[in-house]
Amino acid sequence: RRIITVSFLLCRLHGQEFAGFRGSVTDPVGAPIARAKVSVTEESTGYEQTALTNEAGDYEVRGLGRGVYTLAVEATGFKRYVN
């Protein structure tokens, strides 16, 4: 079974740029997946932030600096998703 997820958020605060990821984790028929682990890793430093999805399958990771990030999602019974 596959996990589907995607979203990106860019914010400016006092002249500084911060990014984040916000989205939903669902199964192939669109049902939300609660308590999925969402990991966001900055590729050059290896810095990682994680979040768990809520009952609606929603997640948000904020306060990320500029960089290139890998997003991964893991949930019991599903194939790991990496983008």
Side-chain angles (χ1 to χ4, degrees), residues 32-68:
I33 300 174
R35 302 204 44 84
K37 179 183 174 185
V38 179
S39 303
V40 180
T41 305
E42 205 287 330
E43 291 182 5
S44 67
T45 65
Y47 176 74
E48 178 183 84
Q49 286 193 33
T50 62
L52 290 177
T53 58
N54 62 19
E55 293 300 315
D58 298 329
Y59 69 90
E60 186 169 7
V61 178
R62 293 183 176 187
L64 303 173
R66 286 183 174 225
V68 176

Short mmCIF file of all heavy atoms in Angstrom, two decimals, residues 32-68:
data_model
loop_
_atom_site.label_atom_id
_atom_site.label_comp_id
_atom_site.label_asym_id
_atom_site.label_seq_id
_atom_site.Cartn_x
_atom_site.Cartn_y
_atom_site.Cartn_z
N PRO A 32 -7.54 9.16 5.51
CA PRO A 32 -6.40 9.71 6.25
C PRO A 32 -5.66 8.63 7.03
O PRO A 32 -6.26 7.66 7.49
CB PRO A 32 -7.04 10.72 7.19
CG PRO A 32 -8.46 10.29 7.32
CD PRO A 32 -8.82 9.62 6.03
N ILE A 33 -4.35 8.84 7.17
CA ILE A 33 -3.52 7.93 7.96
C ILE A 33 -3.05 8.70 9.20
O ILE A 33 -2.25 9.62 9.09
CB ILE A 33 -2.31 7.41 7.15
CG1 ILE A 33 -2.81 6.66 5.92
CG2 ILE A 33 -1.43 6.53 8.03
CD1 ILE A 33 -1.71 6.24 4.98
N ALA A 34 -3.57 8.32 10.35
CA ALA A 34 -3.22 8.96 11.61
C ALA A 34 -1.91 8.38 12.15
O ALA A 34 -1.59 7.22 11.91
CB ALA A 34 -4.33 8.78 12.63
N ARG A 35 -1.16 9.20 12.87
CA ARG A 35 0.08 8.80 13.55
C ARG A 35 1.17 8.33 12.60
O ARG A 35 2.05 7.56 12.99
CB ARG A 35 -0.19 7.79 14.65
CG ARG A 35 -1.20 8.34 15.69
CD ARG A 35 -1.15 7.74 17.04
NE ARG A 35 0.14 7.52 17.65
CZ ARG A 35 0.86 8.43 18.32
NH1 ARG A 35 0.45 9.66 18.41
NH2 ARG A 35 2.00 8.11 18.87
N ALA A 36 1.15 8.80 11.35
CA ALA A 36 2.27 8.53 10.43
C ALA A 36 3.42 9.46 10.82
O ALA A 36 3.21 10.61 11.22
CB ALA A 36 1.85 8.80 8.99
N LYS A 37 4.64 8.97 10.73
CA LYS A 37 5.82 9.77 11.05
C LYS A 37 6.29 10.47 9.78
O LYS A 37 6.60 9.81 8.79
CB LYS A 37 6.93 8.89 11.60
CG LYS A 37 8.19 9.67 11.93
CD LYS A 37 9.29 8.73 12.40
CE LYS A 37 10.59 9.48 12.60
NZ LYS A 37 11.68 8.55 12.94
N VAL A 38 6.34 11.79 9.83
CA VAL A 38 6.82 12.61 8.71
C VAL A 38 8.18 13.17 9.10
O VAL A 38 8.30 13.84 10.13
CB VAL A 38 5.83 13.76 8.40
CG1 VAL A 38 6.35 14.61 7.25
CG2 VAL A 38 4.45 13.20 8.08
N SER A 39 9.21 12.88 8.31
CA SER A 39 10.56 13.36 8.58
C SER A 39 11.00 14.28 7.45
O SER A 39 10.83 13.96 6.28
CB SER A 39 11.55 12.19 8.65
OG SER A 39 11.16 11.27 9.63
N VAL A 40 11.58 15.42 7.82
CA VAL A 40 12.11 16.38 6.86
C VAL A 40 13.59 16.55 7.18
O VAL A 40 13.95 16.95 8.29
CB VAL A 40 11.37 17.73 6.97
CG1 VAL A 40 11.93 18.72 5.98
CG2 VAL A 40 9.88 17.54 6.76
N THR A 41 14.46 16.21 6.22
CA THR A 41 15.90 16.23 6.45
C THR A 41 16.59 17.17 5.47
O THR A 41 16.39 17.05 4.26
CB THR A 41 16.49 14.81 6.28
OG1 THR A 41 15.78 13.91 7.14
CG2 THR A 41 17.97 14.78 6.63
N GLU A 42 17.41 18.10 5.99
CA GLU A 42 18.18 19.00 5.14
C GLU A 42 19.35 18.18 4.61
O GLU A 42 20.11 17.60 5.37
CB GLU A 42 18.66 20.21 5.95
CG GLU A 42 18.94 21.45 5.12
CD GLU A 42 20.20 21.38 4.29
OE1 GLU A 42 21.15 20.69 4.70
OE2 GLU A 42 20.25 22.00 3.23
N GLU A 43 19.48 18.11 3.29
CA GLU A 43 20.41 17.18 2.67
C GLU A 43 21.88 17.48 2.95
O GLU A 43 22.67 16.56 3.13
CB GLU A 43 20.15 17.10 1.17
CG GLU A 43 18.83 16.44 0.86
CD GLU A 43 18.57 16.29 -0.63
OE1 GLU A 43 19.45 16.63 -1.45
OE2 GLU A 43 17.46 15.83 -0.97
N SER A 44 22.30 18.74 3.02
CA SER A 44 23.72 19.03 3.19
C SER A 44 24.19 18.88 4.64
O SER A 44 25.36 18.60 4.88
CB SER A 44 24.06 20.43 2.68
OG SER A 44 23.45 21.42 3.48
N THR A 45 23.29 19.07 5.61
CA THR A 45 23.69 19.00 7.02
C THR A 45 23.19 17.76 7.73
O THR A 45 23.70 17.41 8.79
CB THR A 45 23.14 20.22 7.79
OG1 THR A 45 21.72 20.16 7.79
CG2 THR A 45 23.62 21.53 7.18
N GLY A 46 22.15 17.12 7.19
CA GLY A 46 21.55 15.97 7.85
C GLY A 46 20.59 16.36 8.97
O GLY A 46 20.04 15.50 9.65
N TYR A 47 20.37 17.67 9.17
CA TYR A 47 19.45 18.13 10.21
C TYR A 47 18.05 17.62 9.90
O TYR A 47 17.55 17.78 8.79
CB TYR A 47 19.46 19.65 10.30
CG TYR A 47 18.46 20.20 11.28
CD1 TYR A 47 18.71 20.11 12.65
CD2 TYR A 47 17.29 20.80 10.85
CE1 TYR A 47 17.79 20.60 13.57
CE2 TYR A 47 16.37 21.30 11.77
CZ TYR A 47 16.63 21.19 13.13
OH TYR A 47 15.72 21.67 14.03
N GLU A 48 17.40 17.02 10.89
CA GLU A 48 16.09 16.40 10.68
C GLU A 48 15.08 16.92 11.70
O GLU A 48 15.39 17.09 12.86
CB GLU A 48 16.20 14.88 10.82
CG GLU A 48 14.89 14.16 10.65
CD GLU A 48 15.02 12.66 10.86
OE1 GLU A 48 14.98 12.22 12.02
OE2 GLU A 48 15.16 11.97 9.85
N GLN A 49 13.86 17.18 11.21
CA GLN A 49 12.72 17.47 12.07
C GLN A 49 11.64 16.46 11.76
O GLN A 49 11.51 16.03 10.61
CB GLN A 49 12.18 18.89 11.82
CG GLN A 49 13.05 19.97 12.39
CD GLN A 49 12.32 21.30 12.40
OE1 GLN A 49 11.11 21.36 12.58
NE2 GLN A 49 13.06 22.37 12.22
N THR A 50 10.87 16.08 12.76
CA THR A 50 9.81 15.10 12.55
C THR A 50 8.49 15.61 13.11
O THR A 50 8.46 16.49 13.97
CB THR A 50 10.14 13.75 13.21
OG1 THR A 50 10.26 13.93 14.62
CG2 THR A 50 11.42 13.14 12.65
N ALA A 51 7.42 15.04 12.60
CA ALA A 51 6.08 15.33 13.09
C ALA A 51 5.25 14.07 12.92
O ALA A 51 5.57 13.21 12.09
CB ALA A 51 5.45 16.48 12.29
N LEU A 52 4.19 13.96 13.71
CA LEU A 52 3.23 12.88 13.55
C LEU A 52 1.94 13.46 12.99
O LEU A 52 1.54 14.57 13.38
CB LEU A 52 2.93 12.19 14.88
CG LEU A 52 4.05 11.35 15.49
CD1 LEU A 52 3.60 10.80 16.84
CD2 LEU A 52 4.43 10.21 14.57
N THR A 53 1.28 12.73 12.11
CA THR A 53 0.01 13.19 11.59
C THR A 53 -1.07 13.09 12.67
O THR A 53 -1.01 12.23 13.54
CB THR A 53 -0.43 12.38 10.36
OG1 THR A 53 -0.53 11.00 10.70
CG2 THR A 53 0.54 12.56 9.20
N ASN A 54 -2.06 13.97 12.57
CA ASN A 54 -3.18 13.93 13.51
C ASN A 54 -4.24 12.94 12.99
O ASN A 54 -4.00 12.23 12.01
CB ASN A 54 -3.76 15.34 13.73
CG ASN A 54 -4.32 15.96 12.47
OD1 ASN A 54 -4.62 15.28 11.48
ND2 ASN A 54 -4.47 17.27 12.48
N GLU A 55 -5.38 12.90 13.64
CA GLU A 55 -6.43 11.94 13.25
C GLU A 55 -6.95 12.17 11.83
O GLU A 55 -7.44 11.25 11.19
CB GLU A 55 -7.59 12.00 14.25
CG GLU A 55 -7.24 11.49 15.64
CD GLU A 55 -6.79 10.03 15.63
OE1 GLU A 55 -7.44 9.20 14.97
OE2 GLU A 55 -5.78 9.73 16.28
N ALA A 56 -6.83 13.41 11.34
CA ALA A 56 -7.26 13.73 9.97
C ALA A 56 -6.16 13.48 8.95
O ALA A 56 -6.34 13.73 7.76
CB ALA A 56 -7.72 15.18 9.90
N GLY A 57 -4.99 12.99 9.41
CA GLY A 57 -3.86 12.72 8.52
C GLY A 57 -3.03 13.95 8.20
O GLY A 57 -2.11 13.89 7.40
N ASP A 58 -3.31 15.09 8.86
CA ASP A 58 -2.60 16.33 8.58
C ASP A 58 -1.32 16.45 9.41
O ASP A 58 -1.25 15.97 10.53
CB ASP A 58 -3.49 17.54 8.89
CG ASP A 58 -4.75 17.57 8.04
OD1 ASP A 58 -4.70 17.09 6.89
OD2 ASP A 58 -5.77 18.06 8.53
N TYR A 59 -0.33 17.14 8.83
CA TYR A 59 0.93 17.40 9.53
C TYR A 59 1.45 18.77 9.14
O TYR A 59 1.05 19.35 8.13
CB TYR A 59 1.99 16.33 9.19
CG TYR A 59 2.47 16.43 7.77
CD1 TYR A 59 3.56 17.23 7.43
CD2 TYR A 59 1.81 15.75 6.75
CE1 TYR A 59 3.97 17.33 6.12
CE2 TYR A 59 2.22 15.86 5.44
CZ TYR A 59 3.30 16.65 5.13
OH TYR A 59 3.72 16.78 3.83
N GLU A 60 2.37 19.30 9.96
CA GLU A 60 3.05 20.55 9.65
C GLU A 60 4.42 20.53 10.30
O GLU A 60 4.56 20.17 11.47
CB GLU A 60 2.25 21.74 10.15
CG GLU A 60 2.81 23.06 9.72
CD GLU A 60 1.87 24.22 9.99
OE1 GLU A 60 0.82 24.02 10.64
OE2 GLU A 60 2.21 25.33 9.56
N VAL A 61 5.45 20.91 9.53
CA VAL A 61 6.82 21.06 10.03
C VAL A 61 7.21 22.49 9.67
O VAL A 61 7.20 22.85 8.49
CB VAL A 61 7.78 20.04 9.38
CG1 VAL A 61 9.20 20.27 9.88
CG2 VAL A 61 7.33 18.62 9.65
N ARG A 62 7.55 23.30 10.67
CA ARG A 62 7.86 24.72 10.45
C ARG A 62 9.29 25.06 10.82
O ARG A 62 9.98 24.27 11.45
CB ARG A 62 6.95 25.59 11.31
CG ARG A 62 5.53 25.57 10.97
CD ARG A 62 4.82 26.54 11.89
NE ARG A 62 3.41 26.65 11.56
CZ ARG A 62 2.61 27.52 12.11
NH1 ARG A 62 3.07 28.33 13.03
NH2 ARG A 62 1.36 27.57 11.76
N GLY A 63 9.68 26.28 10.45
CA GLY A 63 10.94 26.84 10.92
C GLY A 63 12.17 26.28 10.24
O GLY A 63 13.25 26.29 10.81
N LEU A 64 12.04 25.83 9.02
CA LEU A 64 13.18 25.30 8.29
C LEU A 64 13.90 26.42 7.56
O LEU A 64 13.26 27.28 6.96
CB LEU A 64 12.72 24.24 7.28
CG LEU A 64 11.95 23.06 7.86
CD1 LEU A 64 11.41 22.19 6.74
CD2 LEU A 64 12.83 22.25 8.79
N GLY A 65 15.22 26.42 7.61
CA GLY A 65 16.00 27.42 6.88
C GLY A 65 16.10 27.06 5.41
O GLY A 65 15.57 26.04 4.95
N ARG A 66 16.78 27.92 4.66
CA ARG A 66 17.00 27.63 3.24
C ARG A 66 17.78 26.34 3.09
O ARG A 66 18.67 26.05 3.88
CB ARG A 66 17.79 28.76 2.59
CG ARG A 66 16.99 29.99 2.37
CD ARG A 66 17.84 31.02 1.65
NE ARG A 66 17.00 32.15 1.33
CZ ARG A 66 17.00 32.74 0.16
NH1 ARG A 66 17.81 32.34 -0.78
NH2 ARG A 66 16.20 33.76 -0.05
N GLY A 67 17.45 25.60 2.05
CA GLY A 67 18.18 24.36 1.79
C GLY A 67 17.37 23.43 0.92
O GLY A 67 16.26 23.74 0.50
N VAL A 68 17.96 22.30 0.66
CA VAL A 68 17.30 21.24 -0.09
C VAL A 68 16.92 20.16 0.91
O VAL A 68 17.77 19.69 1.67
CB VAL A 68 18.22 20.67 -1.20
CG1 VAL A 68 17.55 19.52 -1.92
CG2 VAL A 68 18.61 21.77 -2.16
#
